[in-house]
Amino acid sequence: MGEIVAARRVSKVFKTGKGAVEALRDIDLTIDPGEFVSLIGPSGCGKSTLLRLVGDLLTPTAGELVVNGKTPAQSRLDHDYGIAFQKATLLDWRTAIENVELPLELMNVGRDQRRARATEMLEMVELGEFVNANPWQLSGGMQQRVAIARALALRPPLLLMDEPFGALDEMTRESMQQELLRIWRETDTTIIFVTHSIPEAVFLSTRVVVMASRPGRIVDSMPVDLSHPRGVDTREDERFYTTLTEVREALRGR
Amino acid sequence: MVGERMTASPDHRAGTAGVGRLAPAAVALIALVGLWEAAVRLLQIEAFLLPAPSAVFTEFVADASVIWSAGFKTLIEAVGGLVAGTIGGILVAFVVARWEAVRLGAMPFAAAVNAMPIVAVAPITIALFGLTNPVSRMAVVALMVFFPVMINTTRGLLSADANELELMRSYGASGWSILRRVRIPSAHPYFFSALKIVVPLSLIGAIVSEYFGGPQDVLGQYITNRAQLFQFPDAWAAMLVAAILGIGMYSLVLLAERLVMPWHVSVRTSDQR
Ligand SMILES: Nc1ncnc2c1ncn2[C@@H]1O[C@H](COP(=O)(O)OP(=O)(O)OP(=O)(O)O)[C@@H](O)[C@H]1O
Ligand SMILES: [Mg+2]
């Protein structure tokens, strides 16, 4: 089995009323279990599309994609991944905790266990006091944290995260990054993380995958040589800055 | 567009109706009734044009037992038809929302029928079920209620947010589970909008069907009989009863809406502004 994601010459073309959009061309990407991979690239380069392909929310137009040793569809049905979208997407008719319980409910986890697990997850994202709040009573950032708690609730082997911290203020963002790294280290989760922020990508990842658009493709894949655990010191590290520069240059097309 | 008239989108009002908010309406009502009374007396308007509110109220009290018992019989027809039409509308909406082929085939006709004046079928249902049978009136009401409920509920079931559906899909949720957890809650606001339209419609349907004949002890017959005898204050008193029944039913819908979907923008209790 080996890798958790294996993409070979994967392409995705969207057919729209105004013709075809080539969102991704010939994507080759393998991700090993335990990696933390960031996808970075200009808007519209196909980052979300790639994540959706892995999650079987879209099907490739061409190429071969294996997730967790199975077809993406089988992985989805086996609850092999948790997903956090660009938008929080909470169900308005459920309280915060009921939203976090949703995936557990669909896995037929018992009521008490569900409650306990969801409470734990909400405390982890520092929303312990808002367990019974309704989504519309939460700020955008808080809603996004509920969505992250929900994605983590099942302890999936693979986490797909699409700009999950985009709506957060700098302070919360940094503490969420720290939390996410802690969860990643403590569990054997593999994370694919889409972001627009170079420092965020470098700080979090073991590898940064740089993409370009028109057509969407991978232009570089750079390992991040920074030791774990990472924290405030990491951001001061000289290698942190050299990696930032490397990624920035790769994004510019060198 | 044909039939668009009867479909309604959920209204996004922030609604907190405290007693204080009713005060302006109460004042307006008193002022209106006062003005009406004054106008009738000062301008000496004939009773067949417009009876004074005091005259209407006198009959409303004097003939109370007859009017209310007629009102109750009419109410039963309205509610019977309302329940049947609503249940039918919901059931068909599930089928129509589930199968696109059914939807494409059925919806244009539903929209067309919905645009027709359905009360006009009353003579036919009377012929079918019999003049004295309340079912002939209930059938008219049920038909009037069915289409708006069916059309709106279908739209509601199909209105579920694409992101929410994708989320459920990511969990490998079954169609039934998606229906229960996302589609039905999404349809609630649409369903209640329909209910707010059809509740007054059900009384209209019942009373107008009664105009076509049948038992004498119902509101529609009471109104026609008294009007023919030039007892206009009596007729108006009967309309007052119809109004009270309509407002009562409408209030029940508002209450149910608050209980069933406290999460929706239109009924949220916390401050929205
Ligand atoms: N459902 C769709 N139908 C048609 N075109 C689509 C669809 N989804 C994405 N696209 C197109 O595919 C391309 C890649 O979109 P995608 O959302 O993956 O970009 P992205 O890298 O996530 O961008 P952003 O950083 O702005 O989120 C874009 O040109 C977009 O217009
Ligand atoms: Mg995106």
Side-chain angles (χ1 to χ4, degrees):
Chain A
M1 195 181 105
E3 55 276 306
I4 193 155
V5 174
R8 272 203 13 242
R9 298 181 66 83
V10 167
S11 297
K12 179 67 189 178
V13 178
F14 289 106
K15 289 184 188 66
T16 65
K18 296 183 213 93
V21 179
E22 192 174 14
L24 291 173
R25 178 190 287 179
D26 288 341
I27 298 294
D28 281 310
L29 179 66
T30 52
I31 297 174
D32 290 325
E35 275 197 276
F36 193 131
V37 174
S38 284
L39 302 179
I40 196 163
S43 182
C45 71
K47 304 181 294 294
S48 299
T49 302
L50 182 52
L51 217 60
R52 282 185 152 76
L53 286 171
V54 173
D56 188 47
L57 300 171
L58 290 173
T59 33
T61 312
E64 194 191 337
L65 184 58
V66 178
V67 178
N68 216 6
K70 313 167 221 183
T71 62
Q74 193 55 50
S75 292
R76 176 171 62 81
L77 295 175
D78 290 348
H79 302 263
D80 282 347
Y81 69 84
I83 193 162
F85 296 103
Q86 261 171 304
K87 277 175 65 185
T89 315
L90 302 180
L91 303 182
D92 260 345
W93 41 92
R94 288 172 165 251
T95 59
I97 193 162
E98 286 167 350
N99 268 286
V100 178
E101 281 181 58
L102 179 66
L104 301 161
E105 205 176 295
L106 292 166
M107 277 282 270
N108 297 317
V109 176
R111 202 192 140 73
D112 293 343
Q113 214 185 329
R114 225 157 64 199
R115 276 279 129 134
R117 178 84 184 129
T119 310
E120 183 193 331
M121 294 327 291
L122 281 173
E123 275 164 5
M124 186 206 72
V125 296
E126 285 161 17
L127 287 175
E129 290 165 51
F130 294 89
V131 166
N132 292 315
N134 295 301
W136 71 86
Q137 295 165 326
L138 302 173
S139 74
M142 289 157 94
Q143 293 182 19
Q144 197 59 41
R145 273 141 72 194
V146 175
I148 291 163
R150 180 179 60 192
L152 294 168
L154 275 178
R155 293 189 198 282
L158 179 61
L159 254 183
L160 307 176
M161 308 187 89
D162 195 346
E163 295 182 48
F165 303 155
L168 305 183
D169 66 275
E170 199 56 33
M171 294 296 288
T172 320
R173 193 182 173 112
E174 283 188 10
S175 82
M176 289 298 299
Q177 290 172 353
Q178 208 66 65
E179 272 310 315
L180 185 61
L181 276 181
R182 186 181 64 76
I183 292 159
W184 171 72
R185 278 166 47 79
E186 285 174 5
T187 57
D188 40 17
T189 308
T190 309
I191 299 181
I192 309 181
F193 190 96
V194 172
T195 178
H196 274 135
S197 157
I198 302 173
E200 181 168 78
V202 174
F203 179 72
L204 290 174
S205 324
T206 54
R207 184 151 59 109
V208 179
V209 170
V210 180
M211 296 177 68
S213 50
R214 264 174 279 267
R217 62 195 186 277
I218 292 175
V219 290
D220 214 334
S221 173
M222 344 178 61
V224 179
D225 181 25
L226 289 168
S227 61
H228 289 277
R230 296 177 187 176
V232 244
D233 296 341
T234 310
R235 295 183 205 269
E236 317 274 293
D237 194 318
E238 202 183 317
R239 275 174 303 168
F240 182 69
Y241 288 102
T242 44
T243 319
L244 283 190
T245 313
E246 280 168 30
V247 173
R248 191 171 293 123
E249 282 173 355
L251 268 171
R252 276 209 211 101
R254 226 159 272 174
Chain B
M1 218 178 89
V2 182
E4 200 62 22
R5 190 168 54 98
M6 278 306 190
T7 67
S9 299
D11 39 20
H12 290 259
R13 282 173 297 112
T16 34
V19 178
R21 288 186 52 168
L22 291 177
V27 171
L29 179 70
I30 292 166
L32 189 72
V33 172
L35 214 63
W36 175 0
E37 183 79 34
V40 170
R41 282 171 192 248
L42 292 176
L43 307 174
Q44 296 186 319
I45 296 172
E46 298 283 357
F48 67 87
L49 279 178
L50 188 67
S54 57
V56 174
F57 190 72
T58 307
E59 289 311 322
F60 178 74
V61 174
D63 221 7
S65 63
V66 178
I67 305 178
W68 278 107
S69 120
F72 186 68
K73 295 216 168 60
T74 299
L75 180 67
I76 288 181
E77 293 171 353
V79 170
L82 182 66
V83 169
T86 303
I87 291 175
I90 292 173
L91 292 179
V92 173
F94 277 109
V95 174
V96 168
R98 172 68 183 75
W99 287 284
E100 196 182 6
V102 180
R103 184 158 69 247
L104 294 178
M107 283 311 250
F109 293 102
V113 175
N114 194 24
M116 291 178 0
I118 294 178
V119 240
V121 304
I124 300 170
T125 62
I126 288 170
L128 273 175
F129 298 105
L131 192 59
T132 53
N133 190 348
V135 172
S136 39
R137 264 128 351 237
M138 286 182 190
V140 175
V141 174
L143 273 177
M144 288 172 72
V145 165
F146 172 84
F147 289 97
V149 169
M150 190 274 269
I151 291 171
N152 251 28
T153 307
T154 303
R155 283 182 27 166
L157 289 169
L158 295 174
S159 76
D161 181 76
N163 293 304
E164 292 170 3
L165 294 175
E166 192 170 54
L167 179 77
M168 294 302 280
R169 201 175 129 71
S170 82
Y171 297 134
S174 66
W176 163 246
S177 176
I178 294 174
L179 183 70
R180 189 158 80 82
R181 292 185 170 86
V182 175
R183 288 199 187 275
I184 292 178
S186 304
H188 274 142
Y190 289 79
F191 171 71
F192 278 106
S193 294
L195 220 47
K196 287 183 212 162
I197 294 170
V198 298
V199 156
L201 222 51
S202 71
L203 273 175
I204 295 173
I207 292 173
V208 174
S209 311
E210 287 162 359
Y211 290 161
F212 292 94
Q216 299 299 293
D217 56 349
V218 292
L219 275 188
Q221 281 301 316
Y222 183 92
I223 293 169
T224 17
N225 292 339
R226 296 302 156 119
Q228 277 161 5
L229 298 170
F230 295 97
Q231 291 168 348
F232 294 104
D234 292 72
W236 280 80
M239 296 207 278
L240 182 57
V241 167
I244 293 169
L245 293 174
I247 292 166
M249 287 167 79
Y250 196 84
S251 307
L252 286 179
V253 172
L254 293 184
L255 186 69
E257 183 179 46
R258 270 165 185 269
L259 293 176
V260 172
M261 46 167 220
W263 50 268
H264 192 252
V265 243
S266 62
V267 290
R268 284 174 192 170
T269 43
S270 61
D271 198 2
Q272 290 298 303
R273 276 166 289 185

